[in-house]
Amino acid sequence: MTQIKHLLNSEDLTKDSLYEIVDLANVIIESPDKFSHVCDGRILGTLFFEPSTRTRLSFESAMQRLGGSVVGFSESASSSTTKGESLQDTVRTVSQYADIIAMRHPQEGAAYLASLTSDCPIINAGDGGHQHPTQTLTDVLTISQYKHSLENHTIGIVGDLKYGRTVHSLIKVMNMFSGNKFILISPDELKLPQYVKEEVFDDDSDYVEVSNLDDVIGEVDILYMTRIQKERFFSTSQYTRLKDSYVLDREKMKMAKDDMIVLHPLPRVNEIATEVDTDPRAVYFAQVKYGMYARMALIMKLLEVENA
């Protein structure tokens, strides 16, 4: 793989590097004990300026399963930014302690700013409504596991397509693989931004936009549900009006293909009824575990320890 110093955006990932990370993750899944010491003596810094459960714990579990250790904080109040320290100084300081940093921040572009002063690799663990490339690695690995190919799928993406950073990253990456078509399902207020469409799609034939999930669920191979994100709204009344726009339940699942899979970056609120959890097509909790393996593979690649 062409060595990349940081993973800041989905654009940093090529088809070849994606396949290499997926392949390495699959080897780790098959024989995890073989990799339990490849990061002995290495330290991951986790700088989470925004709340997270899955992503932070996934990174920490990934590093510890590779034999490394973790330092960091889980909220901005625990950092010196509360004293007025700049983001760049915080990152420069932590990069003196750590060999690699995973950072989540509410401001778009924060990961890029961090990379300018860091002395070690930066992994963007989510920056505002911009991108979340390691969630995309999680999604891609999960799709590979269940569909055995990254090509020729109809992908339905539901919910918050305007602010959903996981959505933006996933569309950009899956559009690199031939034959994939997208059905974008959202209220008018939460449509995929025009700039993302212009960056990703060659023409209008690559995607369709609809507002009714029932009308298209039978066409979908991969259904990617997202929550309506309260923290991205300036208006409480608008959030309240839109928050239950889509709810996937048992009745809707009856209209879907037998081999369709349901993904969700989590956390969910009301958009997937708990009755769906027992459906074998609901793979969003398995997706969580694949995220750990994807991050293990990424850490190894960035630290260049895959041959250790």
Side-chain angles (χ1 to χ4, degrees), residues 66-139:
L66 293 171
S69 55
V70 181
V71 298
F73 53 82
S74 59
E75 57 181 354
S76 59
S78 301
S79 76
S80 289
T81 57
T82 59
K83 303 175 184 177
E85 184 177 56
S86 69
L87 171 65
Q88 292 95 323
D89 281 0
T90 297
V91 170
R92 182 175 298 192
T93 299
V94 176
S95 70
Q96 307 309 307
Y97 309 138
D99 300 290
I100 187 168
I101 291 172
M103 188 183 88
R104 170 168 287 189
H105 199 282
Q107 294 181 348
E108 297 183 11
Y112 171 73
L113 285 177
S115 73
L116 298 179
T117 58
S118 177
D119 290 333
C120 69
I122 296 287
I123 302 173
N124 182 2
D127 59 338
H130 185 218
Q131 289 210 21
H132 193 352
T134 65
Q135 179 63 49
T136 301
L137 290 178
T138 298
D139 301 337

Side-chain angles (χ1 to χ4, degrees), residues 186-226:
S186 69
D188 286 343
E189 296 92 334
L190 296 176
K191 282 186 174 181
L192 189 72
Q194 186 62 33
Y195 77 88
V196 178
K197 298 175 193 174
E198 292 173 356
E199 285 178 6
V200 177
F201 300 122
D202 294 327
D203 54 59
D204 293 346
S205 66
D206 292 332
Y207 69 95
V208 295
E209 293 180 292
V210 301
S211 59
N212 192 318
L213 173 59
D214 291 9
D215 291 345
V216 296
I217 192 170
E219 304 171 32
V220 169
D221 302 308
I222 300 162
L223 187 65
Y224 195 86
M225 298 294 297
T226 67

